[in-house]
Amino acid sequence: MPAGVSCFAIAATTSSEASALKDALIGDGLVPLRSALGQYDEAPHSLKFDAQNQLMAHSMNPMDLLSRTEVAAQVLTWLAT
């Protein structure tokens, strides 16, 4: 991540609840949840977002991220800090 820059990640999963297996297999219908958050086993590829700078949005697909109030609220919270 660039030094001195706050970076954030939002990932969707169509799963209704947190489940390592569901998130790994289903994700958002395009990519697994870990991939969407930049989490990879190979260190050079992992983005390492701070935990408080990540949102895992359940019961959503990528297009839902554009219109869901809880996603917008999180973005506004991040922008206010």
Side-chain angles (χ1 to χ4, degrees):
M1 304 311 284
V5 177
S6 296
C7 297
F8 304 89
I10 301 174
T13 178
T14 56
S15 173
S16 62
E17 59 187 34
S19 163
L21 181 60
K22 284 182 184 178
D23 293 341
L25 296 177
I26 300 171
D28 64 5
L30 295 175
V31 297
L33 189 61
R34 287 191 50 172
S35 179
L37 294 172
Q39 299 171 349
Y40 298 96
D41 294 331
E42 301 84 17
H45 301 292
S46 192
L47 296 179
K48 297 183 174 92
F49 290 98
D50 291 336
Q52 70 271 13
N53 292 357
Q54 297 179 54
L55 173 65
M56 289 174 262
H58 293 274
S59 298
M60 293 186 209
N61 64 51
M63 296 305 291
D64 291 329
L65 295 174
L66 299 172
S67 60
R68 297 289 286 267
T69 57
E70 59 266 45
V71 174
Q74 181 61 64
V75 171
L76 290 172
T77 298
W78 284 334
L79 290 172
T81 59

